[in-house]
């Protein structure tokens, strides 16, 4: 569920802000948080056009296995040999890929994005089809596995990674990318396109009644969590057209997103349903996203004067104390012979070409020198809550 935004009262350095109204949560579509049984192409016809924010697709890889695979001790490797991964030819696989991508494209919002994961067997063919259909590739992300399966025959390198393609619906799409959140996640360093994560093992791996792994290609929740934290917002709807054991749904619910899954095998639907039911959504406060200044609404300096957060004729001071400027009623400022915006005057008094007036100028509040940028944040926070 989308968390309701509660009534807030801002107080900063003794200054009381306005009391804000409660904003009702967005309406949850009837198809959200459901699993549709059936073939992915036909099932997606049940969804409205442009109704999905993000797609995560883990399609069949078309592994082209020739015979069984054994370890050096001759024990059989539990490889992917299910019927859903079998295709008669590359042409058949390409036709299948084109069909599901077209179905996904119809339901994806204009500013939505798509993630598709694969191995060397299929990801290049999928990438070509994506571009042919008008998707715009943003990144290819390499999932480096900390514990990959060895190459038992010793005739090739160990397949230690899979590739994800992240694409927007088109080159002009204003897709979601939580850059600041990902940077903070990565200890204030830009998140790279190679992600080191273990494969799904231990208690996270779903088992059948015989104690064998339920699904041969179950993805780790950590992988899906990073995808959603990077490219979705709380309340967004994430579609997985190859739902399998329900990892996408479990992570979406935990992170306060909605999911829609498509799956044709009832055994997987039953397992996914039970798995998701056991998940608890994180508290709303824990789901807030870190956002940079560029993502926040624009607030002109004059708005602070209009709101009474700064008074006409008030004196602003540089942090060094060397420069002062007087505020005028129209939002301009003056310092000696210099007049203009907070940025222009800040630059002129220093003899610079440019200046960030928001961080250069300060005002006294209860004996404390306070950046006018802190006062601007009050207005931004009020706008964010009022906008829902």
């Amino acid at each position: 569920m989308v968390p309701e935004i509660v009534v807030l009262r801002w107080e900063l350095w003794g200054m009381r802000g306005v009391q804000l109204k409660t904003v009702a949560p967005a309406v949850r579509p009837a198809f959200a948080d459901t699993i549709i049984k059936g073939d992915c192409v036909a099932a997606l016809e049940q969804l409205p056009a442009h109704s999905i924010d993000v797609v995560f697709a883990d399609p069949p890889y078309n592994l082209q296995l020739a015979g069984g695979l054994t370890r050096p001790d001759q024990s059989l490797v539990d490889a992917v040999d299910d019927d859903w991964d079998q295709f008669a030819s590359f042409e058949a696989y390409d036709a299948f890929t084109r069909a599901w991508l077209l179905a996904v494209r119809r339901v994806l919002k204009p500013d939505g994005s798509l993630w598709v994961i694969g191995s060397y067997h299929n990801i290049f063919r999928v990438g070509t089809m994506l571009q042919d259909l008008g998707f715009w590739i943003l990144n290819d992300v390499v999932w480096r596995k900390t514990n990959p399966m060895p190459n038992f025959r010793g005739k090739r390198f160990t397949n230690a990674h899979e590739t994800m393609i992240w694409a927007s619906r088109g080159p002009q799409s204003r897709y979601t990318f939580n850059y600041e959140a990902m940077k903070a996640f990565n200890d204030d360093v830009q998140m790279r396109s190679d992600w080191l994560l273990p494969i799904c093992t231990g208690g996270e791996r779903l088992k059948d009644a015989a104690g064998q792994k339920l699904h041969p290609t179950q993805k780790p929740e950590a992988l899906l969590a990073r995808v959603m934290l990077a490219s979705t917002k709380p309340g967004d709807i994430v579609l997985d057209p190859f739902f399998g054991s329900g990892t996408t749904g479990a992570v979406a619910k935990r992170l306060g997103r909605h999911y829609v899954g498509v799956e044709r095998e009832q055994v997987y639907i039953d397992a996914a349903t039970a798995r998701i039911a056991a998940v608890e959504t994180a508290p709303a406060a824990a789901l807030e996203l870190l956002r940079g200044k560029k993502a926040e609404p624009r607030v002109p300096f004059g708005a602070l004067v209009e709101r009474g957060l700064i008074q006409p004729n008030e004196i602003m001071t540089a942090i060094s104390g060397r420069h002062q400027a007087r505020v005028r009623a129209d939002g301009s400022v003056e310092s000696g012979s210099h007049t203009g915006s907070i940025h222009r005057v800040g630059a002129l008094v220093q003899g610079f070409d440019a200046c960030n007036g928001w961080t250069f100028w300060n005002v006294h509040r209860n004996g404390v020198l306070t950046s006018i940028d802190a006062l601007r944040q009050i207005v931004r926070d009020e706008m964010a809550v009022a906008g829902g």
Side-chain angles (χ1 to χ4, degrees), residues 7-223:
V7 176
L8 299 175
R9 183 187 296 273
W10 290 101
E11 188 171 337
L12 180 62
W13 296 287
M15 294 177 52
R16 291 188 179 275
V18 298
Q19 184 166 329
L20 304 176
K21 295 181 179 180
T22 300
V23 179
V27 177
R28 171 181 170 272
F31 60 82
D33 305 322
T34 62
I35 305 174
I36 305 172
K37 183 176 182 179
D39 172 78
C40 64
V41 176
L44 288 179
E45 294 178 0
Q46 301 179 36
L47 298 181
H50 304 158
S51 59
I52 299 297
D53 296 291
V54 170
V55 176
F56 180 84
D58 184 10
Y61 287 7
N62 191 26
L63 294 181
Q64 307 133 47
L65 295 177
L69 182 61
T70 58
R71 300 181 177 88
D73 64 2
Q74 299 306 304
S75 59
L76 186 65
V77 175
D78 187 10
V80 180
D81 55 3
D82 302 73
D83 290 341
W84 48 259
D85 194 60
Q86 308 300 313
F87 293 85
S89 63
F90 287 126
E91 290 77 13
Y93 186 79
D94 290 346
F96 164 77
T97 301
R98 180 181 177 83
W100 74 259
L101 282 175
L102 283 172
V104 160
R105 187 172 177 82
R106 185 188 70 84
V107 300
L108 191 63
K109 292 180 180 179
D111 290 333
S113 65
L114 161 73
W115 294 80
V116 57
I117 188 169
S119 69
Y120 68 88
H121 302 87
N122 72 321
I123 198 64
F124 303 108
R125 307 188 78 86
V126 173
T128 298
M129 194 67 67
L130 278 168
Q131 292 180 315
D132 287 348
L133 295 179
F135 288 91
W136 189 256
I137 294 180
L138 303 169
N139 278 113
D140 64 327
V141 176
V142 174
W143 167 29
R144 256 180 71 212
K145 303 175 182 179
T146 60
N147 50 345
M149 181 183 295
N151 184 272
F152 294 109
R153 291 175 178 168
K155 295 183 178 181
R156 302 184 186 182
F157 297 111
T158 296
N159 292 324
H161 77 277
E162 292 183 31
T163 299
M164 291 188 293
I165 295 176
W166 181 36
S168 62
R169 199 174 184 276
Q172 304 304 317
S173 296
R174 301 182 63 183
Y175 56 89
T176 295
F177 178 46
N178 301 317
Y179 168 79
E180 295 290 343
M182 287 292 95
K183 188 175 179 180
F185 181 102
N186 202 38
D187 293 337
D188 292 327
V189 177
Q190 281 190 350
M191 180 69 74
R192 292 160 47 112
S193 62
D194 53 335
W195 298 356
L196 184 63
L197 295 167
I199 63 174
C200 184
T201 57
E204 186 180 326
R205 171 70 75 172
L206 300 189
K207 303 293 181 60
D208 60 19
Q212 301 299 312
K213 59 184 181 183
L214 179 73
H215 195 287
T217 64
Q218 181 179 337
K219 296 299 182 288
E221 292 190 6
L223 183 69

